[in-house]
Amino acid sequence: MPDQSIKITGPFRQLLTMDKLPLKGSLKDAQLEIIEEAGIVHQNGLIIETGQFKSLCTKYSFAGITIQPIDTDLIVLPGLVDPHTHICWAGSRENDYALRLEGKSYAEIAQSGGGIWDTVNKTRHASGVELNKSLISKSSRQLSCGITTCEVKSGYALNLEGEIRLLEIIKAVRQEHPIDLVSTCLAAHIRPRDFEGTANEYLQYLTMMLLPLIKSEELSNRVDIFVDEGGFSAREAENYLKAAKKLGFDLVVHGDQFTSGGVHLAVNLGAKSVDHLEVIQSGEIKILAASDVVATALPGASLGLGCTFAPARRLLDAGCCLAIGSDWNPGSAPMGDLLVQTAILGTFEKLTNAEQLSAITFRAAQALGLNDRGILKKGYLADFIGFPGRNYREILYNQGMLKPRFVWKRGAQFF
Ligand SMILES: [Zn+2]
């Protein structure tokens, strides 16, 4: 029998609800709703009310209430949302890293047997048990870092059976792990070397053979494509994304990491988000700001490759909805620590605490099309995390190294 009792958790030194903030544009810390000596009332994994702990205890002082007392200073936020990862893979790419340090280019590394294709080979040959174990371990690390919702892409098999297998593994882990995993099909990562045909023919093959199967097996409702050098051109991607949209998928675009083209496509086709944006130009920032497409920055990839960051300050000032993802992957972003990367991007791009925290809570949820999390208010998921401390500014000031002491997922405490 699931526990149906009403619970009050608290008191918390500070509770940041992330409520009443705009979805788009710049934010000042003064706009944050902060409740001192706060509590959260929740039942069946959903929030009933937030407010001052003492008055909540009085209001709900009838029978059947469980008070979950907290006897230490905690700063509480909504559970974090990582809207962009590739954490279903096998192998390791430390040799690519060493070659990058020697100044080798992406193409040279790929030619010498490294790059995405190396991970594809290792992932194809890994057992399901191995991949499952690895995804569980990464999901557990995410949860311990306060991430209660995490997007995971396929894209390291690049053939029909392999991509289905990865999406099935993600589905299996989602069913057994407390973290919420949101799967995305990234079979259009690169054209696989063993596919006999053009990039267009590969995308047609995915459209005809893979996407309908994913739909009928309910393995994912999101389709992503890498629109860039080494991936697919905007022209090639357009037909593929149109076909995916027709089949009912939500769209996501890896765009403007090295070359432009992805933003127009994402806006024209009404994608949920366009991710990377390191080389986005002023005109495209304007177009993006006028749309409902979320701009997802991936500072982990900039750190991994030694490239510039996405212009997060300019994106916010223009009125974009900015999310931040870890891009956790074996090649360009092996660190996979969303909070550290957010704090680093915040320092370089001069983002306020409010802007950084929004980008990894409700604005990141928007990138995943989820409107039931990322804010602590009535009816939303009781996903919340508590950092040791007395002032919310301590969190990012510590550059991501202050980790949550407690993590609650759907009202249940995991750490
Ligand atoms: Zn990515």
Side-chain angles (χ1 to χ4, degrees):
M1 269 290 282
D3 181 3
Q4 307 242 327
S5 68
I6 296 178
K7 299 184 187 69
I8 306 180
T9 310
F12 307 129
R13 186 78 186 78
Q14 286 190 329
L15 175 74
L16 272 70
T17 64
M18 304 308 288
D19 194 13
K20 302 172 189 130
L21 295 169
L23 200 49
K24 295 168 73 175
S26 58
L27 293 169
K28 296 274 182 257
D29 286 357
Q31 290 173 261
L32 291 169
E33 180 179 67
I34 301 169
I35 308 172
E36 309 274 343
E37 298 304 325
I40 298 178
V41 186
H42 52 101
Q43 183 183 31
N44 293 333
L46 297 178
I47 294 171
I48 297 177
E49 193 174 350
T50 61
Q52 289 209 304
F53 183 70
K54 271 190 185 160
S55 44
L56 289 175
C57 288
T58 311
K59 183 173 170 184
Y60 289 87
S61 63
F62 46 85
I65 297 290
T66 312
I67 295 184
Q68 299 182 313
I70 301 293
D71 58 2
T72 182
D73 280 331
L74 283 188
I75 311 150
V76 168
L77 303 178
L80 307 182
V81 177
D82 189 341
H84 185 132
T85 83
H86 305 250
I87 56 173
C88 194
W89 86 77
S92 174
R93 300 245 293 274
E94 67 277 358
N95 291 336
D96 286 16
Y97 167 68
L99 290 170
R100 275 204 302 278
L101 297 182
E102 287 171 14
K104 295 280 188 298
S105 71
Y106 182 89
E108 286 168 326
I109 292 170
Q111 272 161 20
S112 67
I116 292 170
W117 190 244
D118 178 39
T119 302
V120 169
N121 272 323
K122 287 177 179 143
T123 306
R124 281 181 181 178
H125 289 104
S127 71
V129 173
E130 189 186 330
L131 289 166
N132 186 284
K133 237 172 125 180
S134 163
L135 182 56
I136 286 177
S137 143
K138 293 187 181 79
S139 299
S140 295
R141 201 187 95 181
Q142 290 279 68
L143 193 66
S144 72
C145 289
I147 290 148
T148 48
T149 300
C150 177
E151 189 258 14
V152 189
K153 299 174 196 299
S154 67
Y156 290 124
L158 307 184
N159 57 28
L160 196 68
E161 322 74 62
E163 287 292 311
I164 291 287
R165 183 170 79 127
L166 294 182
L167 291 169
E168 281 173 348
I169 288 166
I170 298 167
K171 187 174 179 178
V173 174
R174 178 170 65 222
Q175 283 163 353
E176 68 178 278
H177 199 281
I179 199 170
D180 276 335
L181 297 181
V182 176
S183 62
T184 305
C185 171
L186 181 60
H189 203 171
I190 54 169
R191 184 181 67 82
R193 287 187 189 175
D194 58 351
F195 182 83
E196 289 172 10
T198 63
N200 259 326
E201 284 163 348
Y202 176 62
L203 294 176
Q204 275 166 17
Y205 159 76
L206 297 181
T207 307
M208 303 293 291
M209 308 299 290
L210 181 66
L211 297 188
L213 205 54
I214 291 173
K215 203 77 207 165
S216 64
E217 303 282 318
E218 295 181 351
L219 291 172
S220 174
N221 63 1
R222 293 162 48 88
V223 164
D224 193 351
I225 184 164
F226 185 43
V227 181
D228 223 314
E229 256 172 30
F232 299 91
S233 72
R235 208 186 165 78
E236 288 160 349
E238 187 175 356
N239 287 332
Y240 177 64
L241 291 176
K242 276 184 176 164
K245 194 174 179 175
K246 235 182 175 172
L247 286 167
F249 287 97
D250 286 341
L251 308 180
V252 187
V253 175
H254 272 72
D256 289 42
Q257 183 180 13
F258 306 112
T259 55
S260 61
V263 172
H264 286 275
L265 193 64
V267 171
N268 290 342
L269 295 178
K272 286 281 169 211
S273 70
V274 53
D275 304 24
H276 271 299
L277 306 172
E278 287 86 338
V279 301
I280 189 172
Q281 303 294 310
S282 305
E284 288 148 332
I285 291 179
K286 254 192 189 162
I287 292 167
L288 196 50
S291 77
D292 292 328
V293 182
V294 177
T296 302
L298 305 171
S302 303
L303 291 168
L305 298 175
C307 299
T308 76
F309 293 110
R313 180 73 268 148
R314 284 166 57 213
L315 288 163
L316 284 167
D317 287 344
C320 290
C321 176
L322 177 79
I324 301 173
S326 72
D327 198 18
W328 194 359
N329 75 69
S332 60
M335 180 209 291
D337 193 312
L338 182 63
L339 204 56
V340 168
Q341 294 165 6
T342 300
I344 291 171
L345 181 71
T347 300
F348 278 89
E349 284 292 310
K350 305 285 177 276
L351 308 180
T352 64
N353 285 283
E355 288 165 341
Q356 293 182 55
L357 295 175
S358 299
I360 52 177
T361 55
F362 69 99
R363 288 179 171 179
Q366 176 73 13
L368 298 178
L370 300 172
N371 52 15
D372 61 352
R373 64 196 74 194
I375 300 174
L376 297 176
K377 72 171 184 184
K378 187 180 178 199
Y380 275 54
L381 295 186
D383 291 359
F384 51 99
I385 57 178
F387 292 85
R390 299 173 66 81
N391 180 333
Y392 74 92
R393 287 177 166 150
E394 292 171 46
I395 299 170
L396 291 157
Y397 160 72
N398 278 290
Q399 299 180 299
M401 291 311 286
L402 185 71
K403 299 297 183 197
R405 180 148 171 211
F406 297 98
V407 175
W408 289 267
K409 177 65 190 162
R410 293 177 195 257
Q413 187 183 317
F414 282 94
F415 291 96

